[in-house]
Structure formats: C-alpha cells, structure tokens
C-alpha cells in the first residue's frame, strides 16, 4: 500500500524560506514521477514542480527560480525547497506520485497522479 506523508509546512513572512518533505512507503521513488501540487482556498489544485526517474524537472512558471524539487532515493523522500516566498504561495501543498513508464513523461497535470499525501499547509504573510 502506497503512503505519502508530507511535512515541513508552516507560517513565514514574505521573502522567507521553507523546505517541504514527503516520505514515501510502498513505492520506490526511482520508478515514479514525483510531484508537488498546491491548492489555495477557492482555487483548483495546480502543479508546482515534478521530477522524473532521470531527475529531470518541470516547474510552474510562477515558481521558477524560487523553488527547487529534489529527491533522495535511498531515503524515499521528496523535497521542495521554497525560497523568496510570496503571499500568493499560500496554499495546502501535496505530494503525489504516479508510475513512470516512458522517458520525459512526467507533467504538472493533477489528473495524471494517482497517489496523494494528506498535505501540509504553507502560509506566507505580507
């Protein structure tokens, strides 16, 4: 049974940093597309960053240059380093996974991921 557990959320001021972690069990990260998604109140869930088995990454335009996704396959842990945080980054952040079968096939689309964590809240104040 696949389980994903996020941690590291919190409240910071604008310009601050946070590092999110996602610990997985029941899967090996080096066989899956792994991603971070977020959902703000009243908005749809959106893709933030994804990483594939070759460690290629994709980012939403709104976070490029500020967020970095990475993973430690030995620890089965996914990370999201978030710098220069803005109030518009305030959201519930979710870790997600889907089995990867082809090269360059990991995207930011929420409907492509079938394993999800419970989320961790990030709040950025002005």
């Amino acid at each position: 049974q696949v389980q994903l557990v996020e941690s590291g959320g919190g409240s910071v001021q604008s310009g601050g940093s946070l590092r999110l972690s996602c610990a997985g069990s029941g899967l090996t990260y080096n066989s899956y597309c792994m991603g971070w998604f977020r959902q703000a109140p009243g908005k749809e869930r959106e893709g933030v960053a994804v990483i594939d088995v070759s460690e290629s990454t994709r980012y939403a335009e709104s976070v490029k240059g500020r967020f970095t996704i990475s993973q430690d396959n030995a620890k089965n842990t996914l990370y999201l380093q978030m710098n220069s945080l803005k109030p518009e980054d305030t959201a519930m952040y979710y870790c997600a996974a889907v089995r990867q079968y082809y090269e360059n096939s990991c995207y930011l689309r929420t409907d492509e991921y079938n394993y999800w964590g419970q989320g961790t809240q990030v709040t950025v104040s002005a």
Side-chain angles (χ1 to χ4, degrees), residues 52-106:
D52 72 10
V53 299
S54 63
E55 300 195 355
S56 294
T57 58
R58 296 178 192 265
Y59 294 92
E61 286 296 325
S62 59
V63 306
K64 278 183 180 178
R66 300 189 298 121
F67 291 10
T68 303
I69 188 172
S70 62
Q71 63 187 25
D72 184 332
N73 292 331
K75 295 182 179 180
N76 247 24
T77 302
L78 180 73
Y79 303 100
L80 185 69
Q81 178 66 44
M82 304 186 295
N83 298 328
S84 302
L85 282 161
K86 305 175 181 180
E88 50 264 44
D89 295 318
T90 294
M92 184 72 78
Y93 282 72
Y94 298 90
C95 171
V98 63
R99 189 69 184 267
Q100 182 179 355
Y101 294 100
Y102 306 104
E103 288 187 30
N104 299 316
S105 61
C106 299

Side-chain angles (χ1 to χ4, degrees), residues 96-116:
V98 63
R99 189 69 184 267
Q100 182 179 355
Y101 294 100
Y102 306 104
E103 288 187 30
N104 299 316
S105 61
C106 299
Y107 300 101
L108 291 165
R109 291 182 52 175
T110 57
D111 58 358
E112 293 187 351
Y113 291 76
N114 52 358
Y115 298 112
W116 292 86

